[in-house]
Amino acid sequence: MKSNYDRKKFVFNYWLITGIFIIITSLIITFLGVGQTKIYKIFLALVVIFIILLAGILYLLVIKYMAKAYGAIEDISSNMEQFMKEEKISTNDHTFQDGDLGLLYDNFDKMIYMFQKKNERERDEKEYLKDVMSDISHQLKTPLASMKVFLELLINDKIDSESERRKILAETDNQVSRMEWMVLSMLKLARIEAGAITFDIRKSNLSLILDEVAGGVRYLLDTRGQKLIIDCPEDIDINVDPEWLIEALINIVKNASDYSSIIEEGNKDFSDKKKDIEIKVEQNMVFTRIYIEDHGIGMSEETMLHIFERFYRASNEVNPNSVGIGLSLSKSIIEGMGGKISVNSQVGMGSTFKVQL
């Protein structure tokens, strides 16, 4: 966007001031030349001419410099206008300059970069929210459809026996619990990934955290005939949000339980110990690692590539009620606290999740 207003204003003010100065100077020189010799008067006239020429040369030099300055301002103004139209612009095509113009270009480039990153984050957040809503909608369709069928059977009195009625009610309750857990987990996941949750990082005893994890999965493991074996020194302290870390570790242990609980007793290698889950801890001056190991069916390389993705399920045989959010939530929690999580597994040999904090 170009405007000649400032240029015209500058030219008018320059020649107004210069003209007044030349007129006053000429009057003074004329006054000084009264009664003087002809040569002296010629000299005074030359002085006036020199002043006028000097004013003209100075004007050309100033105009050249002002054109450069105004050109830079017009360039930045044009880029601003282009940016407001959401057109992609390059902020790195200016030659490096010193002085105030260089600072102006540099600060403008930084501002544009900041706004572009902000717009990218907003677009990513909108896409993420869109994906989350789509995922929730897709995952709710099946349990809602099942519940609708169950309710129609109950309302229309199409259930002959009380035992069948109780079975349908129990399954309905199971579907409701499944949907509740899924929605709450998805909301937690969305809040963490959107940066809406601030973790309360504080010095916490890892042994006590693992005791809470054991308590949180005790009923599940007891019903499956499994044990959780914890090997953790009592003096290990880590800087984490203990409540969120407990939730993340519980989800990992539940996954390990799922992959261990379907071992068939007909397998010649079967033993009760193959159902057990072990948690081991190691610490050095740099990090603390938590290993969660099971001896279940293990995972293929393909499964390991996707195991932390939302709604990913390796097999319907592994906990049919699972919706595939737990490990994704655990990953977001651990990474949100500055940690890392990975998995090593081999089909038929079990899996080991490694949490590094």
Side-chain angles (χ1 to χ4, degrees):
M1 180 183 292
K2 293 185 178 181
S3 172
N4 290 323
Y5 174 78
D6 291 312
R7 285 185 174 85
K8 291 179 179 179
K9 186 176 180 181
F10 170 77
V11 171
F12 174 80
N13 290 333
Y14 179 87
W15 285 116
L16 176 64
I17 295 172
T18 302
I20 293 173
F21 174 77
I22 291 173
I23 291 172
I24 294 174
T25 303
S26 299
L27 292 174
I28 293 173
I29 289 175
T30 301
F31 176 76
L32 293 175
V34 175
Q36 300 294 331
T37 62
K38 186 176 181 182
I39 295 176
Y40 186 76
K41 290 180 179 179
I42 293 173
F43 171 76
L44 294 177
L46 291 174
V47 170
V48 173
I49 295 172
F50 174 77
I51 292 174
I52 295 174
L53 290 174
L54 184 63
I57 294 172
L58 182 62
Y59 169 76
L60 293 176
L61 293 175
V62 172
I63 280 295
K64 183 178 180 181
Y65 177 80
M66 293 297 292
K68 181 181 178 182
Y70 280 120
I73 294 173
E74 288 168 354
D75 185 28
I76 292 176
S77 177
S78 176
N79 280 344
M80 285 182 177
E81 186 178 18
Q82 189 177 8
F83 181 75
M84 286 186 290
K85 292 178 180 179
E86 297 186 356
E87 297 179 7
K88 214 167 184 182
I89 65 173
S90 172
T91 61
N92 299 314
D93 55 357
H94 308 300
T95 57
F96 289 106
Q97 299 185 45
D98 295 325
D100 292 334
L101 282 179
L103 288 175
L104 180 62
Y105 272 128
D106 185 59
N107 289 329
F108 173 73
D109 288 350
K110 290 177 180 177
M111 182 190 70
I112 292 297
Y113 178 79
M114 180 184 69
F115 277 110
Q116 286 177 336
K117 287 298 180 183
K118 182 180 178 182
N119 289 340
E120 287 176 7
R121 284 196 301 271
E122 289 178 353
R123 285 194 294 268
D124 291 342
E125 288 173 1
K126 288 179 181 179
E127 286 297 319
Y128 175 74
L129 181 59
K130 179 182 176 182
D131 291 341
V132 168
M133 297 305 295
S134 177
D135 287 341
I136 292 178
S137 175
H138 177 73
Q139 292 296 322
L140 287 176
K141 285 180 180 179
T142 300
L144 284 173
S146 299
M147 289 175 60
K148 184 177 180 181
V149 172
F150 294 154
L151 290 174
E152 287 178 353
L153 291 174
L154 293 172
I155 291 172
N156 296 324
D157 291 327
K158 293 184 177 181
I159 308 301
D160 297 330
S161 65
E162 183 64 23
S163 62
E164 191 69 22
R165 184 185 300 273
R166 288 181 178 276
K167 183 178 179 181
I168 288 179
L169 288 174
E171 181 59 28
T172 302
D173 180 67
N174 179 52
Q175 295 293 343
V176 171
S177 299
R178 183 168 177 256
M179 287 191 296
E180 180 184 25
W181 188 88
M182 182 187 68
V183 172
L184 291 176
S185 296
M186 281 302 301
L187 290 176
K188 291 177 184 177
L189 183 61
R191 290 174 64 198
I192 292 171
E193 295 190 0
I197 288 180
T198 302
F199 292 103
D200 181 17
I201 306 295
R202 59 185 186 272
K203 190 175 182 180
S204 307
N205 183 267
L206 182 55
S207 180
L208 295 178
I209 290 175
L210 295 179
D211 286 342
E212 292 290 332
V213 172
V217 297
R218 181 170 292 115
Y219 177 76
L220 174 66
L221 298 187
D222 287 346
T223 58
R224 293 175 171 179
Q226 297 172 311
K227 294 180 182 179
L228 180 62
I229 302 170
I230 299 176
D231 180 11
C232 175
E234 295 183 356
D235 60 346
I236 292 183
D237 293 324
I238 55 176
N239 292 316
V240 294
D241 186 320
E243 286 75 22
W244 280 105
L245 181 59
I246 289 169
E247 180 164 354
L249 295 179
I250 283 177
N251 287 335
I252 299 172
V253 173
K254 285 182 176 178
N255 179 81
S257 173
D258 291 341
Y259 276 80
S260 302
S261 63
I262 62 173
I263 298 175
E264 298 180 359
E265 296 191 21
N267 190 324
K268 63 180 181 179
D269 295 325
F270 173 81
S271 67
D272 288 339
K273 289 186 177 181
K274 287 183 72 70
K275 284 191 173 185
D276 293 343
I277 300 163
E278 300 177 55
I279 297 181
K280 299 177 183 179
V281 176
E282 69 174 9
Q283 187 181 51
N284 58 32
M285 297 297 293
V286 180
F287 55 77
T288 299
R289 279 180 181 163
I290 304 171
Y291 297 93
I292 302 173
E293 182 178 3
D294 68 70
H295 306 281
I297 63 173
M299 292 179 282
S300 66
E301 292 185 4
E302 178 68 20
T303 298
M304 284 190 287
L305 291 174
H306 303 285
I307 195 66
F308 295 110
E309 294 178 3
R310 284 197 315 269
F311 300 118
Y312 179 79
R313 295 176 60 192
S315 172
N316 289 329
E317 295 180 6
V318 180
N319 191 0
N321 289 324
S322 172
V323 292
I325 300 178
L327 290 180
S328 178
L329 179 58
S330 293
K331 184 175 185 290
S332 293
I333 292 172
I334 292 167
E335 291 181 349
M337 294 189 292
K340 296 189 296 183
I341 182 172
S342 59
V343 60
N344 292 321
S345 185
Q346 187 175 348
V347 175
M349 300 297 290
S351 304
T352 300
F353 285 84
K354 180 174 68 177
V355 177
Q356 181 169 311
L357 301 166

